[in-house]
Amino acid sequence: PDPLKALLDTYAAQQEAAKRGPIDVLSLKDIQDGLKSGCIDVFFQPKVSVADRRIVGVEALARWRGADGRLIPPIAFVPVIEDNGLIDEMTRQVFEKSIAVLADWWRKGLEISVAVNFSVDSLTRYEVFDLVSQAIAKEQADPGYVTIEVTESRIMDDIAAPLEILTRLRMKGLGLAIDDYGTGASSMQQLKRIPFTELKIDRAFVAGAPQDEEARAMLESSVSLAKRLGLSTVAEGVETETEWDLVAKLGVDVVQGYFIAKPMPADEVFVWAQEQGGLTSS
Ligand code: C2E
Ligand code: MG
Ligand code: MG
Ligand code: MG
């Protein structure tokens, strides 16, 4: 049996289990109403440089705020939103909020970048390019501090479809990240057609690496490949000191994970960064 395939199967099974888990999926009616009444909230998870543990950026993560104030994770609403033609509206709300937060932080001396997740499917529509351009122009944000994340497995469905818009975004100066790398079984030969700037190694390989030889091999080869292609590397889901030490030893540039910080509201990130000495004035 192919050990890599076994690992990928385990990962897929875990993801399926998570989908069936205790989380109730929102109904289409709730979603249609909630998109109009401001139920989409955005949390931000710090990304730190491995070299000095300082904050270099955040990832914007959508949250649904239910009527009772309850926070609902993306797995319970993003698939429904995608399947019902509402993803561009959600992306617009998340992106505009993220850029407004970015501009506010810069005014206060927190000069970091923000990464926003985009569904690959939406990157075939020029309206999506326009909403990105307009939000950045409105806040006079520096596009060099904005990254678009797209999930590897989704890109591989049809690599040509999002190629033009991703290339245009890159030409505007935005960063492009391959998200959940390692779960899509793509070849770099294919991915190289898109001008990516960053590779985010999926949590499954990080979590598995300390005890599992195959996961470690996947992690190591992803890092060395990314380096040879000039991509910045991010390890997702680092939860322990052991994992931190391992990814640091392998030469990963940036870490994101509970070991550093969980996703938080924007104002909490600001306080956290201030305490860590992450502001230009501190
Ligand atoms: P992702 O882009 O891979 O985001 C990372 C996910 O890992 C987040 O889950 C984050 O909370 C979680 N995470 C971070 N560090 C750790 C850790 O140390 N341990 C563990 N166990 N988990 C960690 P979240 O927020 O539930 O988001 C899940 C996925 O939903 C995201 O995965 C992304 O694919 C999607 N998503 C989130 N926001 C958006 C959005 O605005 N638009 C679209 N299209 N998709 C989104
Ligand atoms: Mg992401
Ligand atoms: Mg990811
Ligand atoms: Mg992931």
Side-chain angles (χ1 to χ4, degrees):
D2 178 355
L4 180 58
K5 186 174 180 307
L7 186 69
L8 289 170
D9 288 347
T10 309
Y11 178 80
Q14 283 168 359
Q15 283 203 322
E16 280 311 308
K19 283 179 201 162
R20 283 192 310 270
I23 301 156
D24 289 332
V25 171
L26 292 178
S27 74
L28 180 56
K29 176 82 174 75
D30 286 346
I31 285 175
Q32 285 167 331
D33 295 345
L35 276 177
K36 289 193 198 106
S37 59
C39 285
I40 292 284
D41 203 347
V42 186
F43 273 35
F44 299 89
Q45 185 177 30
K47 293 161 79 176
V48 300
S49 154
V50 171
D52 58 9
R53 282 204 198 194
R54 281 170 79 98
I55 187 166
V56 291
V58 292
E59 177 174 8
L61 294 160
R63 297 288 181 265
W64 189 273
R65 202 170 280 282
D68 51 4
R70 208 162 44 107
L71 278 179
I72 300 167
I75 191 71
F77 59 90
V78 171
V80 184
I81 286 182
E82 285 181 336
D83 290 349
N84 290 282
L86 298 167
I87 189 65
D88 292 358
E89 176 55 21
M90 189 196 93
T91 301
R92 188 182 61 73
Q93 293 187 22
V94 172
F95 193 77
E96 287 178 357
K97 281 186 189 172
S98 301
I99 301 303
V101 164
L102 179 75
D104 182 51
W105 283 340
W106 274 70
R107 285 190 289 268
K108 293 158 144 174
L110 181 58
E111 299 176 353
I112 59 173
S113 61
V114 67
V116 183
N117 294 285
F118 276 60
S119 299
V120 171
D121 163 58
S122 72
L123 292 164
T124 57
R125 292 185 284 277
Y126 287 101
E127 293 79 3
V128 172
F129 177 82
D130 292 339
L131 79 81
V132 168
S133 302
Q134 283 160 15
I136 288 176
K138 177 167 176 257
E139 297 290 344
Q140 296 177 302
D142 182 340
Y145 288 84
V146 180
T147 294
I148 305 295
E149 295 195 5
V150 284
T151 301
E152 185 207 10
S153 56
R154 297 286 198 88
I155 306 167
M156 293 317 295
D157 294 345
D158 179 6
I159 197 139
L163 181 62
E164 182 177 345
I165 288 177
L166 284 170
T167 305
R168 281 173 185 252
L169 289 167
R170 180 70 198 114
M171 283 166 67
K172 257 185 93 67
L174 284 89
L176 303 179
I178 310 169
D179 205 353
D180 303 330
Y181 184 71
T183 63
S186 61
S187 77
M188 258 301 153
Q189 193 58 35
Q190 293 265 302
L191 288 178
K192 251 173 42 194
R193 292 174 60 193
I194 300 176
F196 285 110
T197 55
E198 181 178 298
L199 185 141
K200 299 189 78 175
I201 300 158
D202 195 70
R203 190 174 90 219
F205 303 102
V206 174
Q211 60 283 343
D212 177 341
E213 181 65 37
E214 278 79 34
R216 194 159 57 246
M218 185 67 197
L219 189 63
E220 282 179 18
S221 62
S222 306
V223 174
S224 67
L225 183 66
K227 287 197 182 295
R228 289 183 63 172
L229 295 172
L231 304 178
S232 158
T233 50
V234 181
E236 301 191 314
V238 171
E239 291 185 351
T240 65
E241 180 129 45
T242 311
E243 290 164 11
W244 170 281
D245 290 344
L246 180 68
V247 299
K249 198 180 81 190
L250 294 179
V252 166
D253 301 309
V254 170
V255 159
Q256 179 183 346
Y258 297 168
F259 180 62
I260 298 299
K262 291 203 169 177
M264 298 177 268
D267 49 353
E268 283 178 34
V269 172
F270 185 79
V271 171
W272 183 88
Q274 213 168 15
E275 284 167 3
Q276 307 267 316
L279 273 62
T280 47
S281 53
S282 60

